[in-house]
């Protein structure tokens, strides 16, 4: 249909028709085909609510992919450790909290994985579920030093505390790793898990009382006590011949190098106590002490007291001999009070002389002391520091000259350095 | 040095770290060329210079900041720092010794008794922390004097603090707590 009044701007013709281009309304000139006018393409609606686009399209914040993976890893860890639901929920909460914190936002994936392990560890500790850091490190295949650093940072960030892990609690879990039940090995070598655990626990308590446990890693000590417990529960000649390395092979456990040292330390303590057993006449050495472990462990408190008493008496006698080598025999009743005073004096003398070496002195006096004290490392004598230094003294030129090269030396040095650098570059090219 | 009982405890200062500024830019290449006893580390951007007397190692940055380590007293650290500044002056830089500050003091001390670390940590939580799987010592941090004490079961202590006085105070504060933990709790 034609529309009156409209004229084509190109040719001036007045025959304009409505010719829609799909849904687009257009007025077109019939003669030249020019588009005279067209309708709007869009329809602006100003009705509806005043909600902004971002608000209508917003969704609740979802955790990122790495956080989801971390949570899954955490759940997997909890399943492997077979912890209860309470521990699992607590560790998930801690992980969610810690992950959002700035210290853990832009860190490596390895660190985030370690964080998951640390959350499990903290929750287990708080809810009295015995797990060691070594176990978590093993499961995550992580370096324990890095895990430790993440653990300490996490504790600071979350502001939580965790009670210390008691070695006795972890002992049972540790014993379960050793495959020496009658199903796994020969009858002579097999041992009941409960008996093994009990004996090993008593050895651990003994180690704690005699300063072997404090300050040391728990795992090597646990391995040493399990080995000694296994030997002592049935000390036949077969078991006594088995070394720690062989025992680890039999029990399918990875050997710990430090455990060998712990075995010798525990044997030392057992020998000291074995000497106090009244019915043992043969001398007790580290070779035959394993036979007596059962008796020692049963009566350990009495033996400890007895050993301390005999040690004190021996110390007193040796000091009396130092002071009164001849008189001690004659004046025994009168000498008890005098000797106690005189014994004080050489002891004090020892202490004043021992300003240079106070540590080995007191360590050698005790029967039970940390092994580092009984066998101290020999230290080189410390260099004498400058005395009477105020810090504001004059500094002579002569002293300073020794630190500065003369111009000739500096030139020679520069030339030599250049020559050396060019040589090394040539060598690299070849 | 200081005592709580009749016995005297020797606190031996093993390291004092101090910083100062020279208030001028330093050309590290020149120092490396004209100074003896120097190690140039271009990858880090510093020069290490060692003095014989007092036995000090200094890290020199081109901005003019210098960190001196290895002294055994605060006065020695100051003397070493001044000696170093003189050295740089002789080399040809317009050095002005300023902003000298002792930043850290490390000392060791030995108790004449062994310490049960588990008891010590239990009695002093949360100031004390102990992780035997990570480190054999218990760490005791005193926030008020900014001192950290590492307590070993053998009775040795390692104390770090901002100055010598704080270190001494820290040892005095911790001694009675350690004395309580001489013997194990059970028995």
């Amino acid at each position: 249909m034609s529309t009156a009044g409209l004229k084509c701007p190109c040719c001036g013709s007045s025959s304009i028709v409505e010719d829609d281009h799909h849904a687009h309304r257009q007025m077109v000139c019939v003669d030249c085909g020019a588009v005279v006018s067209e309708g709007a393409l869009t329809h602006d609606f100003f009705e509806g609510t005043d909600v902004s686009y971002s608000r209508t399209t917003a969704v609740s914040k979802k955790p990122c992919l790495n956080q989801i993976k971390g949570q899954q890893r955490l759940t997997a860890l909890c399943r492997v450790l077979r912890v209860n639901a309470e521990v699992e929920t607590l560790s998930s909460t801690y992980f969610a909290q810690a992950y959002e914190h700035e210290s853990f936002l832009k860190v490596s994936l390895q660190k985030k994985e370690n964080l998951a392990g640390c959350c499990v560890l903290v929750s287990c500790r708080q809810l009295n579920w015995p797990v060691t850091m070594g176990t978590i490190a093993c499961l995550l295949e992580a370096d324990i030093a890095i895990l430790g650093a993440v653990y300490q940072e996490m504790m600071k960030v979350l502001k939580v505390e965790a009670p210390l892990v008691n070695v006795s609690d972890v002992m049972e879990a540790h014993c379960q790793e050793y495959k020496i039940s009658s199903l796994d090995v020969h009858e002579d070598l097999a041992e009941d898990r409960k008996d093994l655990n009990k004996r090993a626990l008593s050895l651990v308590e003994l180690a704690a009382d005699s300063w072997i446990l404090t300050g040391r890693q728990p795992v090597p000590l646990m391995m040493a006590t399990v080995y000694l417990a296994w030997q002592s529960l049935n000390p036949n000649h077969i078991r006594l011949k088995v070394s720690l390395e062989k025992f680890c092979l039999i029990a399918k456990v990875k050997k710990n190098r430090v455990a060998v040292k712990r075995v010798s330390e525990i044997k030392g303590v057992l020998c000291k106590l074995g000497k106090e057993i009244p019915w043992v006449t043969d001398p007790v050495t580290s070779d035959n002490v394993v036979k007596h472990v059962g008796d020692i462990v049963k009566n350990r408190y009495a033996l400890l007291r007895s050993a301390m008493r005999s040690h004190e008496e021996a110390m007193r006698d040796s000091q009396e001999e130092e002071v009164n080598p001849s008189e001690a025999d004659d004046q025994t009743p009168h000498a008890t009070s005098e000797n106690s005073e005189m014994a004080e004096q050489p002891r004090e003398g020892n202490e004043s002389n021992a300003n240079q070496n106070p540590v080995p002195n007191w360590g050698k006096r005790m029967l039970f002391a940390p092994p580092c004290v009984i066998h101290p490392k020999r230290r080189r004598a410390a260099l004498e520091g400058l005395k009477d230094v105020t810090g504001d003294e004059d500094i002579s030129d002569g002293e300073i000259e020794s630190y500065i090269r003369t111009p000739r030396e500096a030139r020679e040095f520069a030339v030599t350095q250049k020559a050396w650098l060019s040589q090394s570059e040539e060598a690299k090219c070849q | 040095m200081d005592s709580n009982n009749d016995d005297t405890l020797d606190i031996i200062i093993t390291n004092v770290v101090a910083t100062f500024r020279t208030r001028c830019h330093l050309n590290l290449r020149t120092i490396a060329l004209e100074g003896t006893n120097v190690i140039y580390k271009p990858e880090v951007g510093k020069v290490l210079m060692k003095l014989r007397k007092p036995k000090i190692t200094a890290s020199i940055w081109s901005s003019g900041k210098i960190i001196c380590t290895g002294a055994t007293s605060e006065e020695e650290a100051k003397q070493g720092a001044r000696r170093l500044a003189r050295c740089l002056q002789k080399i040809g830089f317009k050095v002005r010794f300023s902003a000298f500050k002792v930043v850290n003091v490390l000392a060791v001390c030995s108790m004449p008794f062994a310490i049960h670390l588990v008891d010590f940590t239990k009695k002093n939580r949360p100031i004390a922390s102990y992780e035997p799987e990570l480190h054999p010592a218990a760490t005791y941090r005193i926030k008020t004097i900014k001192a950290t004490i590492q307590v070993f079961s053998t009775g040795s202590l390692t104390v770090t603090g901002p100055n010598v006085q704080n270190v001494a105070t820290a040892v005095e504060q911790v001694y009675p707590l350690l004395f309580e933990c001489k013997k194990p709790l059970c028995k």
Side-chain angles (χ1 to χ4, degrees), chain B residues 63-83:
Chain B
S63 61
K65 182 163 181 184
I66 300 179
I67 302 181
C68 301
T69 57
T72 53
S73 73
E74 291 183 356
E75 295 81 24
E76 213 178 274
K78 189 166 188 188
Q79 190 194 43
R82 284 181 60 238
R83 220 164 266 226

Side-chain angles (χ1 to χ4, degrees), chain B residues 76-92:
Chain B
E76 213 178 274
K78 189 166 188 188
Q79 190 194 43
R82 284 181 60 238
R83 220 164 266 226
L84 196 69
R86 274 288 260 131
C87 228
L88 295 173
Q89 220 174 36
K90 276 255 160 175
I91 290 177

Side-chain angles (χ1 to χ4, degrees), chain A residues 74 78 86-96 116 119-120 123:
Chain A
L74 191 139
C78 291
E86 220 178 302
V87 172
E88 204 174 317
T89 41
L90 185 63
S91 47
S92 295
T93 323
Y94 281 150
F95 184 70
C119 292
V120 175
S123 322

